[in-house]
Amino acid sequence: TLIYKVVGEGTALMAGLRPGARLDLLTGLGNGFDVTKGSRRELLVGGGVGIFPLISVIRAYNKSKELYAYMGFRNRAALCMEYDMMQCHKTVLATDDGSLGYHGTAVQAFMHEYEEVRPDVVLACGPVPMLRALKEAMKGRNVPVYVSLEERMGCGIGACLVCVCEKTDGAHARVCKDGPVFLIDDVVL
């Protein structure tokens, strides 16, 4: 499944394709969320198009894991992939304007229920301000938080260095090759 939002020239071209059109894709790059380890209760926090990488987690593990999804959108009109999100043990939808679900961000909705949920691990993807808020909210809670970074990628194989992010140890990482998933405490947001 290829999920995208029309935001520029490339996605506009894709939106103009007819069903059945053939695409040449370079996929399977970098690393995704590793949910096969001993955790049972996993919490997903997504914002905007950041929900898309989390949909694959839901589709793969909704039967074998206890998944809790906190997904945020600007407003009701931006809601998408609702059926997939509702396959979780619990799903909370949040909108910035309060037009649907929790009035606020996905991070605020999650933290409102943190004591009730108590996850083994948190998986997140969304805009940098959302990830910063999550990092701050999870400080001192001793729960691993993995984030999938949304960076513009040129080559997809780590050669062009367009997608480089700074790590907390002063090093740099290529999001396309070394990521896009990192421990939240390992990257500067």
Side-chain angles (χ1 to χ4, degrees):
T1 301
L2 178 63
I3 309 168
Y4 62 93
K5 177 181 178 182
V6 178
V7 293
E9 186 179 332
T11 50
L13 287 170
M14 287 186 351
L17 295 173
R18 295 184 185 274
R22 297 184 65 112
L23 296 174
D24 227 356
L25 300 174
L26 181 61
T27 64
L29 306 172
N31 62 71
F33 292 111
D34 184 1
V35 295
T36 59
K37 295 180 181 155
S39 64
R40 175 81 182 125
R41 182 177 283 197
E42 301 201 0
L43 192 127
L44 313 176
V45 181
V49 295
I51 71 159
F52 298 153
L54 300 171
I55 294 297
S56 63
V57 174
I58 295 169
R59 288 180 177 176
Y61 298 99
N62 70 343
K63 302 279 192 271
S64 61
K65 301 271 186 182
E66 194 174 318
L67 300 178
Y68 292 76
Y70 293 81
M71 303 295 192
F73 302 90
R74 285 206 168 128
N75 53 43
R76 176 187 293 267
L79 175 67
C80 60
M81 308 299 291
E82 186 176 11
Y83 173 80
D84 289 284
M85 290 182 284
M86 293 303 171
Q87 302 307 306
C88 293
H89 182 77
K90 179 175 185 175
T91 301
V92 175
L93 302 176
T95 52
D96 296 340
D97 67 358
S99 59
L100 176 71
Y102 183 89
H103 186 176
T105 68
V107 174
Q108 291 167 334
F110 160 48
M111 295 315 296
H112 182 74
E113 297 183 356
Y114 179 81
E115 292 301 322
E116 174 189 329
V117 177
R118 293 270 185 189
D120 298 323
V121 67
V122 176
L123 311 178
C125 186
V128 171
M130 182 199 96
L131 299 178
R132 279 188 197 126
L134 180 62
K135 186 174 188 174
E136 183 62 31
M138 292 302 292
K139 271 187 185 170
R141 296 190 187 267
N142 202 27
V143 174
V145 179
Y146 292 90
V147 293
S148 180
L149 299 182
E150 298 176 342
E151 294 292 333
R152 186 171 298 273
M153 297 179 197
C155 68
I157 59 171
C160 73
L161 304 179
V162 168
C163 63
V164 168
C165 72
E166 186 179 353
K167 297 185 74 183
T168 53
D169 65 2
H172 290 86
R174 298 161 296 178
V175 174
C176 70
K177 187 171 177 73
D178 305 318
V181 176
F182 298 91
L183 270 169
I184 200 166
D185 290 330
D186 290 349
V187 290
V188 175
L189 298 170

